Amino acid sequence: MVVLGRLGLGAALVLPVAGLVIAGMLGGASGRARRVVVGLGWAATLGALGGLVAVAAGAPFGLLVRGRAGSVVVGLWADQLTVTLLVLVCGVGALVQSFAVRSLQGDPRVGRFLAGTSGVVAAMLLVCSAATLPLLVGGWVAAGVAFVAVLGCRPDLPGVRQATWRTAWLFGLGDTGLVVAGVLVAWRVGNLDLVDARALEAAPGRLGDLATVVALLLVGAALTRSAQWVLGRWLPGTVAAPTPASALLHAGVVNGGGILLVRTGALAGASLPAMVVLFVAAGSSAAVAAQLMTRRP
């Protein structure tokens, strides 16, 4: 089962990348190319399901590259949480692509859209299953870039350019904070292993006075991507883009903040000020949204 799971885990990541390459090179010019990209998305979903079955039948596993001392250098990890997220991301991504090839039929930019969606899925898979913090940060930034590309694939539509620039600016703000947090952790802790629970628990202590700074930066990145508080001004503008772009948000983009905080919980949760900021921001966002929905269509 472990072999099956590793094959499924590898397929879930590699196949969306293949879809990105095919859609980018061919531009989605032919119906066959579009069907191939969509088929790869569904095949990646099957791979993720294979990983889910393997974890359920056995124990967590990974595709890891270890250094001389046995520490993880880079790799992917599959446990009950990560494989469930993989199925979610791959499944929603494949559904969006299947819908998009019909919704955008006749649109000359459909290939560009399919390439962007494949990029979002592949990058979020890294976020969900990365075994080390640098790989997670890289996937997070790549997912943001790919979604901005999807959002701006129809710049001729009213409001799309403004929405794209606003999203890019706010994503860049949050992502910069996450990159800085990653650099600080690498400086004080090294290549943090997200699989080793003891290493995660010890990380805040090794960060010392920087632990609160890192936690606040992680919370800021999560709030920005999840469109919370004043950092959520990018979300309403996405309705200007074609409908599949808004649907793609549920493939790990707008819920990416939760994924980030779960995967780095030992770092973010070690700081009381960061948790207070998170609670106040999320709670006030929910309260304001609940009031607005009774007064605006």
Side-chain angles (χ1 to χ4, degrees):
M1 292 302 292
V2 173
V3 174
L4 171 64
R6 287 175 175 169
L7 289 174
L9 180 62
L13 181 64
V14 171
L15 293 178
V17 175
L20 167 63
V21 173
I22 292 173
M25 292 180 60
L26 302 180
S30 68
R32 178 177 296 179
R34 299 171 190 176
R35 288 193 295 271
V36 168
V37 174
V38 173
L40 290 173
W42 284 113
T45 305
L46 290 176
L49 284 170
L52 182 62
V53 171
V55 170
F61 60 89
L63 296 171
L64 306 174
V65 177
R66 296 186 180 275
R68 294 182 178 179
S71 59
V72 176
V73 177
V74 68
L76 306 176
W77 182 249
D79 54 22
Q80 292 181 353
L81 171 65
T82 59
V83 291
T84 302
L85 292 173
L86 294 185
V87 173
L88 169 69
V89 173
C90 289
V92 173
L95 281 171
V96 171
Q97 289 182 327
S98 299
F99 171 68
V101 295
R102 293 187 292 273
S103 176
L104 302 179
Q105 189 172 8
D107 191 322
R109 298 180 179 87
V110 64
R112 185 175 172 183
F113 181 89
L114 291 176
T117 54
S118 296
V120 170
V121 170
M124 283 309 304
L125 292 178
L126 280 181
V127 175
C128 294
S129 60
T132 60
L133 183 61
L135 188 59
L136 184 152
V137 173
W140 180 270
V141 174
V145 172
F147 180 74
V148 170
V150 169
L151 185 60
C153 71
R154 284 294 307 272
D156 55 307
L157 295 177
V160 167
R161 289 183 181 272
Q162 181 181 4
T164 302
W165 280 109
R166 179 179 294 172
T167 302
W169 186 83
L170 286 170
F171 274 25
L173 180 65
D175 291 4
T176 299
L178 181 60
V179 170
V180 172
V183 171
L184 292 176
V185 172
W187 175 40
R188 286 287 181 91
V189 180
N191 187 22
L192 182 60
D193 186 348
L194 298 177
V195 178
D196 188 343
R198 287 182 296 181
L200 279 172
E201 293 174 358
R206 296 177 64 183
L207 283 169
D209 55 343
L210 293 177
T212 297
V213 176
V214 169
L216 287 170
L217 291 173
L218 289 172
V219 167
L223 292 175
T224 302
R225 191 65 62 90
S226 296
Q228 301 295 300
W229 217 12
V230 295
L231 299 172
R233 294 185 61 198
W234 63 269
L235 182 59
T238 60
V239 299
T243 300
S246 297
L248 185 67
L249 285 170
H250 302 284
V253 179
V254 77
N255 48 351
I259 297 173
L260 174 66
L261 292 178
V262 168
R263 299 229 59 213
T264 62
L267 291 173
S271 169
L272 179 60
M275 290 296 97
V276 170
V277 170
L278 179 65
F279 178 80
V280 171
S284 60
S285 297
V288 171
Q291 289 299 314
L292 288 177
M293 68 181 292
T294 64
R295 292 172 171 79
R296 292 186 183 180

